[in-house]
Amino acid sequence: MATPTLRERRRAAATQEILDAAERQIAESGPAALSLRAVARDLGMTVQALYHYFPNRDALVTVLITRAYDDLADAVQAAVAVPPAQRAPGDADMPRLVIAAEGYRRWAIANPERFHLLYGTPLRGYAAPVDGPTTQATRRMSAVFERELFGDLTDGQLAAIEVPLLSPGFRAFLDGLPYYGSGRLPAPATALLMSAWGQLHGLVVLEVFGHTGFLGEHQAEVFRMSMLKLLEDVRGRTNTAQGR
Amino acid sequence: MATPTLRERRRAAATQEILDAAERQIAESGPAALSLRAVARDLGMTVQALYHYFPNRDALVTVLITRAYDDLADAVQAAVAVPPAQRAPGDADMPRLVIAAEGYRRWAIANPERFHLLYGTPLRGYAAPVDGPTTQATRRMSAVFERELFGDLTDGQLAAIEVPLLSPGFRAFLDGLPYYGSGRLPAPATALLMSAWGQLHGLVVLEVFGHTGFLGEHQAEVFRMSMLKLLEDVRGRTNTAQGR
DNA sequence: TGTACATCAGTGAACGCGCGTTCACTGATGTAC
DNA sequence: TGTACATCAGTGAACGCGCGTTCACTGATGTAC
């Protein structure tokens, strides 16, 4: 592990600057406006120079998407890592699921254009690599949500969870999934997790894309209420399961 | 109401053809690829001719968005209007809320690019008119969902619905909203409706934008399960309300 | 019914713009001896 | 320590492309008398 040479350090710094400029560009004009020429302009370089750092525009976009996913996952993990006593006022006695979900929401609102990049219309001419970085960060995030939704349940409680209408075929499919989470979730719990993800993501997406603007600042409250309801639901299902 | 002249009929037909060509283009290459020139090419006209029908690109986009919203709202209404006996096999005894929601989902899956147009990244350079056609169609759609979620409840049952954590300020705000629905929903029910919209939309958005592809065909089942859970939840809240 | 004029759909030519990418080059940095 | 060569970051010039929009025009359709 040799000390990096001057060239290597410069190269790393320049790469970082390019990415920062690209993110600045996205933040200002949206992901669709991202262009190599605009990035170069921002940095006071010529476009061609960028080709020493990225083979083409798609490669740059791929890195930007990866970074955005990681940032979002980091934000969710960070939110949940703050000890209750140090949380914002009013959040101290909120369940950790709510805290995690609100970390997701807060990142999306703070970085709307990068959120668009991840969850909006795919960039024109950009084809996402299959099973690429996306999957990785999504898995990290869903691991957090899985922990906060189901983490304190015993295997017995988990096993007893029921949801409406899960076909045997789907149960088998879910049980055979290598993809997600801790591996200890039975099919109904996994289905519940997907459903919760939909709920969480849906509210954020509607808000960030401006479809619930008429609610104004109260959107935060609808969101928190929904997340609390999510937890209520899971608890209700485990209570029932225990024969209460 | 005079008979339209030849010119008027031709104009109407040409306008229709332009819109159809534009929608074809969106369906094939996505909303971001929509361009006047491509539409003209598709029709075998020159670009300039389009300016006799739309003053500029934005105007065309506005009409396309309006039509898409209307189409979606129509699809939801139509789904719910089919008598149970004539529904697809397995759907006959599904609650109408599920049928409406699946109408929404089905339209989105059948018209992914138009769905992108409505709920994806806003088109570059296009600024949506405030309180425009969007609001209109959204209201229509949410009226359907309101009816199917709450339509058969008495005012007393509605009034007794409670949800976690609704601040007095938010209650007042919701009660003062001129915007949505029948006007008979108390604040908690409205909040529940928004939450349900998030759930519904979130699952569809994740599916159409390819984030839950790993579930394959089973996405339909997660969706239906979630919608059934939605209804269960509302019923649970009204039962509790009745003191049962 | 015929004529003069207005309206309108369409074309040809052109504008200026921003884009991704390639090529041949220069000068600085790094490396082997 | 000095020298010869390789690597690399950056530039200047240029490519071909598609875009929205404007202008001056022609010929068909519609209308008033």
Side-chain angles (χ1 to χ4, degrees):
Chain A
M1 200 174 179
T3 316
T5 64
L6 171 61
R7 255 224 286 251
E8 281 165 343
R9 272 180 290 126
R10 280 192 186 159
R11 184 180 176 83
T15 307
Q16 194 51 234
E17 272 180 47
I18 292 169
L19 290 170
D20 290 346
E23 280 169 3
R24 229 175 296 134
Q25 238 237 311
I26 287 178
E28 276 164 24
S29 323
L34 180 67
S35 82
L36 293 182
R37 299 190 100 104
V39 169
R41 238 178 278 129
D42 182 292
L43 293 172
M45 315 172 75
T46 57
V47 214
Q48 316 92 280
L50 296 184
Y51 283 81
H52 283 291
Y53 300 91
F54 298 93
N56 52 46
R57 179 174 170 278
D58 265 26
L60 174 60
V61 169
T62 302
V63 175
L64 290 169
I65 290 181
T66 307
R67 276 168 53 113
Y69 270 115
D70 282 335
D71 255 35
L72 174 52
D74 286 349
V76 171
Q77 280 191 327
V80 111
V82 175
Q86 292 168 34
R87 289 182 194 153
D91 288 6
D93 48 0
M94 277 293 139
R96 287 167 50 103
L97 173 78
V98 175
I99 298 299
E102 291 185 346
Y104 188 91
R105 174 173 174 269
R106 210 171 316 113
W107 188 90
I109 291 172
N111 303 275
E113 300 295 355
R114 294 177 78 198
F115 191 75
H116 284 176
L117 179 67
L118 298 182
Y119 291 111
T121 314
L123 274 198
R124 174 128 177 68
Y126 172 79
V130 218
D131 214 47
T134 301
T135 320
Q136 184 72 13
T138 299
R139 214 176 304 171
R140 261 180 69 205
M141 239 170 28
S142 80
V144 173
F145 288 114
E146 179 193 326
R147 176 156 29 88
E148 305 312 339
L149 260 183
F150 301 117
D152 51 359
L153 301 185
T154 65
D155 283 356
Q157 285 175 314
L158 279 178
I161 289 179
E162 274 306 326
V163 297
L165 199 109
L166 273 199
S167 73
F170 187 30
R171 294 185 115 88
F173 173 84
L174 284 182
D175 287 334
L177 256 197
Y179 273 121
Y180 270 82
S182 64
R184 58 189 283 266
L185 286 199
T190 304
L192 224 49
L193 180 61
M194 297 308 305
S195 179
W197 186 24
Q199 170 82 73
L200 158 74
H201 183 72
L203 287 170
V204 171
V205 127
L206 285 174
E207 180 171 356
V208 172
F209 286 60
H211 297 280
T212 51
F214 66 93
L215 287 178
E217 21 151 16
H218 300 293
Q219 294 178 92
E221 217 170 317
V222 172
F223 186 76
R224 177 168 281 193
M225 181 273 281
S226 297
M227 294 303 107
L228 286 171
K229 240 160 51 59
L230 227 58
L231 262 184
E232 246 184 28
D233 179 59
V234 170
R235 283 188 191 141
R237 283 170 204 281
T238 55
N239 286 345
T240 307
Q242 284 177 319
R244 211 264 259 129
Chain B
M1 200 171 177
T3 318
T5 64
L6 172 60
R7 253 222 291 250
E8 282 165 344
R9 271 180 292 124
R10 280 192 186 158
R11 184 180 175 82
T15 306
Q16 194 51 233
E17 272 181 47
I18 291 169
L19 290 170
D20 290 346
E23 279 169 3
R24 230 175 294 133
Q25 237 236 314
I26 287 178
E28 276 164 24
S29 322
L34 180 67
S35 82
L36 293 182
R37 300 190 99 105
V39 169
R41 237 176 279 130
D42 183 294
L43 292 172
M45 316 171 74
T46 57
V47 215
Q48 316 91 280
L50 297 183
Y51 283 81
H52 282 291
Y53 300 91
F54 298 92
N56 52 46
R57 180 174 170 277
D58 264 27
L60 173 61
V61 169
T62 302
V63 175
L64 290 169
I65 289 181
T66 306
R67 276 166 55 111
Y69 270 115
D70 281 335
D71 255 36
L72 174 51
D74 286 349
V76 171
Q77 278 193 325
V80 111
V82 176
Q86 292 169 34
R87 289 182 193 154
D91 289 5
D93 47 0
M94 276 293 138
R96 288 167 50 104
L97 173 77
V98 175
I99 299 300
E102 290 184 347
Y104 187 92
R105 173 172 175 270
R106 211 173 313 111
W107 187 91
I109 291 172
N111 303 275
E113 300 294 357
R114 293 177 79 200
F115 191 76
H116 283 176
L117 179 66
L118 298 182
Y119 291 110
T121 314
L123 274 199
R124 173 128 178 69
Y126 172 78
V130 218
D131 214 49
T134 302
T135 320
Q136 183 73 11
T138 299
R139 214 177 303 172
R140 260 181 69 205
M141 240 171 26
S142 80
V144 174
F145 288 115
E146 178 191 329
R147 175 157 29 88
E148 304 313 338
L149 260 183
F150 301 117
D152 52 358
L153 300 186
T154 65
D155 283 356
Q157 285 175 311
L158 279 178
I161 289 179
E162 274 307 324
V163 296
L165 198 108
L166 273 198
S167 72
F170 187 29
R171 295 184 115 90
F173 173 84
L174 285 182
D175 287 334
L177 257 195
Y179 274 121
Y180 271 82
S182 64
R184 58 190 283 267
L185 285 200
T190 305
L192 225 48
L193 181 60
M194 297 309 307
S195 179
W197 186 23
Q199 170 82 72
L200 159 73
H201 182 72
L203 287 169
V204 171
V205 127
L206 285 173
E207 180 170 358
V208 172
F209 286 60
H211 298 279
T212 51
F214 66 94
L215 288 178
E217 21 151 17
H218 300 293
Q219 293 177 90
E221 217 171 316
V222 172
F223 186 77
R224 177 169 281 194
M225 181 273 280
S226 297
M227 294 303 107
L228 286 170
K229 239 160 50 59
L230 228 55
L231 263 183
E232 248 185 25
D233 178 59
V234 170
R235 283 186 192 143
R237 282 170 205 280
T238 54
N239 285 345
T240 307
Q242 285 178 318
R244 213 264 256 122

